[in-house]
Amino acid sequence: MISLGVEATAHTFGLGIVSKKEIFVNVKDSYTTEKGGIIPMDAARHHENISDALIKKALSDFEKVGKNKIDLVTYSRGPGIGPCLHVAKNTAKEVAESLGVPFIGVNHCVAHLSVGSLVTNVKDPVLLYASGANTQIIAYEGGKYRVFGETLDQGIGNFLDSFARHIGLGFPGGPKIEALASNSKRYIEIPYSVKGMDISLAGMLTNLKNKFDSGNYKVEDLAYSLQETAFSMLMEVSERAMAHCGKKELLLGGGVACNSRLKEMAEVMCKDRNAKCFIPPNSLLVDNGAMIAYQGILEYESGRREKKVEIKPYERTDDVKVTWK
Ligand code: AMP
Ligand code: MG
């Protein structure tokens, strides 16, 4: 079975074509800004404007690898920005109708987790899902994907992007913060906030903004301290979830997991506790169509059929009925 996936929960419009074993196509085009954050309607317009051209490209790339038969179309139904999700759904519907194949919607966060098994031999991991709007520690326990810890306020990526915006950098800010941080080794004390299994970032953000505004700190030192502190918090809750569930595998997902320092910390933490760390390539960590396509195959093969074509902007990971395990 071959599935074409449409991802459009936020800034990225992505298309992937995959089988259960192989990725044939994974293309995307992302909405970015010079200054300021995501404006929902602008992001949706970006996706709408690019969709026809990107579909053409995906299908022609698919032909170039000697393939032409698509059996299923899958779209990201949520969680995400409403207007963007509509583009995902409408694109999927259009493509599915023109190909004469069925289409279904899947949960974006669960797709981030599942795609790990397409490219690594991960079996039963704790997923550290660190992306723009979402930051969750997820594991499969008792027939469901359960959220063991999460951010109490904003996603780690949004936090990075907000600080970047405050210091005059555009979206996405994460890679720019990473570049700044690589020029410093000077740690400045900032609030470390882990509450039980959850993390909180709002206080750290205010503290960083105040420090920056005071003019008394080098921005490289702030970026370095931010990464060391925020990523340590993620490691603490991930490790605790692994200990609690007795799981020996950590899987990374989400755009912030592209960060080299975060990857390094995850490797070290896993090594220390004799666990394995699985890190998919960056193209599958960020929002992408391949993971949506793959999730579609898992669900379709387990009997899922679309009864009602809908988007679910607020669907939580633990709301998803797992039929494919
Ligand atoms: P996603 O929503 O999963 O596609 O991830 C997007 C988020 O990842 C944005 O907030 C980016 O700033 C962040 N991001 C991308 N690359 C990096 C990086 N190298 N370091 C930190 N954050 C990053
Ligand atoms: Mg994501």
Side-chain angles (χ1 to χ4, degrees), residues 108 112 129 131 287:
H108 173 95
H112 267 293
Y129 174 35
S131 81
D287 289 351

Side-chain angles (χ1 to χ4, degrees), residues 272-302:
D272 281 354
R273 50 181 301 110
N274 264 328
K276 271 192 174 163
C277 184
F278 294 89
I279 310 179
N282 285 358
S283 58
L284 296 175
L285 290 173
V286 298
D287 289 351
N288 66 90
M291 69 179 189
I292 301 297
Y294 183 65
Q295 184 63 32
I297 296 180
L298 297 181
E299 297 198 22
Y300 194 84
E301 283 190 340
S302 75

Side-chain angles (χ1 to χ4, degrees), residues 82-100:
C84 297
L85 296 173
H86 276 293
V87 181
K89 184 195 77 181
N90 294 341
T91 306
K93 186 164 185 282
E94 223 170 86
V95 175
E97 283 170 1
S98 80
L99 296 173

Side-chain angles (χ1 to χ4, degrees), residues 11 131-132 157-158 160-161 172-175 178 254-256 258-259 285-287:
H11 44 76
S131 81
N158 286 358
L160 290 166
D161 297 334
E178 178 172 15
V256 180
C258 294
N259 187 288
L285 290 173
V286 298
D287 289 351

Side-chain angles (χ1 to χ4, degrees), residues 260-271:
S260 318
R261 180 59 181 137
L262 181 67
K263 289 181 193 181
E264 183 185 313
M265 280 192 190
E267 301 269 14
V268 170
M269 183 268 275
C270 286
K271 194 157 172 260

Side-chain angles (χ1 to χ4, degrees), residues 300-314:
Y300 194 84
E301 283 190 340
S302 75
R304 196 49 231 281
R305 298 294 179 270
E306 207 65 280
K307 291 187 197 84
K308 211 166 108 204
V309 181
E310 57 191 348
I311 63 163
K312 296 187 174 180
Y314 301 105

